[in-house]
Amino acid sequence: MATKWQKKDLWALFIIPLELLIGNNLIHISFFKDNPFYLLIGSVGINLVAFSILIFFYKKDLKEQWTQYRQRLWLNLLLAVVLVVASHLLIQFVRGAIPENLLKISTDASDAAVSESSFSGNVQLVALFLAAIPSFIAPFSEELIFRYLLVGKAPNNLVRIVMLFVQAVLFGLIHYANFNGNIYATIPYMAVGFFFGLIYMVYRNIWGSLVVHWIFNTVNQMLPTLFIIILTLLGIVK
């Protein structure tokens, strides 16, 4: 597991809350409200800044643990794919166990209209790509904070088990904006956050859970986005 807490670890804990606080309030600034494309750029920029700070903080740790992870790289990647499938099944299972009426997501028709009519042509393709970037880099920030710090740097096994549950709940809650604030809809993500925590504890290496999380997000968001962009550029879809 990780070593003892350092001053940078305490600073790192504030990164995701600040990222969410600033990102979710950009829409309330008149300039961004009137310019959806710049709002998107601002949101992506905040994610990139958070990502860069955490990489700067933990580049040595990531490098050292990567050296260990790559010793059985192909086996680890194969296992990661299996664990990604298990993650999807877990989310579907937990979602199916929650009453359907609790999973209903309220939508603001005016907001939906704005999002659909905000971009056109090549700008729409750029916006589509930009919107997928946060999910592509988020695994680094989230795994470093929730698994590496909260679980890995727990002082003893009892605290580590407690933090395994705590980080799972927090991991689910940071996705509340994806469901317009529906807390019940974040429960499946709490379950998968717990699963990622277990993966980290078994591997005792941040890349164990990070690679699974990264493949999970890439399959869900980045690959479909790139597929749509390519089909649009080829004129197959409009």
Side-chain angles (χ1 to χ4, degrees), residues 168-184:
V169 173
L170 293 175
F171 178 75
L173 289 177
I174 67 167
H175 294 87
Y176 79 101
N178 297 8
F179 306 102
N180 282 358
N182 185 334
I183 300 298
Y184 294 104

Side-chain angles (χ1 to χ4, degrees), residues 16-30:
I16 287 183
L18 284 173
E19 180 185 354
L20 292 173
L21 181 65
I22 298 171
N24 291 337
N25 282 283
L26 282 182
I27 187 64
H28 301 301
I29 300 174
S30 57

Side-chain angles (χ1 to χ4, degrees), residues 78-168:
L78 179 61
L79 183 56
V81 171
V82 174
L83 292 172
V84 168
V85 173
S87 301
H88 279 282
L89 293 175
L90 177 62
I91 284 181
Q92 294 304 317
F93 174 79
V94 175
R95 188 172 287 152
I98 301 172
E100 227 176 286
N101 62 303
L102 296 179
L103 295 175
K104 288 182 180 178
I105 300 172
S106 60
T107 55
D108 188 321
S110 61
D111 286 346
V114 169
S115 64
E116 290 171 5
S117 60
S118 296
F119 313 113
S120 60
N122 291 334
V123 175
Q124 188 176 39
L125 296 181
V126 173
L128 196 62
F129 177 75
L130 287 174
I133 290 177
S135 69
F136 192 72
I137 63 177
F140 289 87
S141 303
E142 292 169 0
E143 291 305 314
L144 283 169
I145 298 297
F146 294 116
R147 263 62 80 175
Y148 185 68
L149 291 184
L150 295 184
V151 176
K153 292 205 172 188
N156 55 59
N157 288 335
L158 177 60
V159 176
R160 186 168 293 116
I161 291 172
V162 172
M163 294 310 297
L164 180 63
F165 287 92
V166 171
Q167 63 83 28

Side-chain angles (χ1 to χ4, degrees), residues 61-78:
D61 308 72
L62 288 166
K63 187 176 181 179
E64 288 177 354
Q65 295 198 19
W66 172 254
T67 301
Q68 300 169 4
Y69 184 83
R70 72 178 183 181
Q71 290 177 3
R72 304 173 68 184
L73 183 59
W74 291 109
L75 178 61
N76 285 330
L77 290 178
L78 179 61

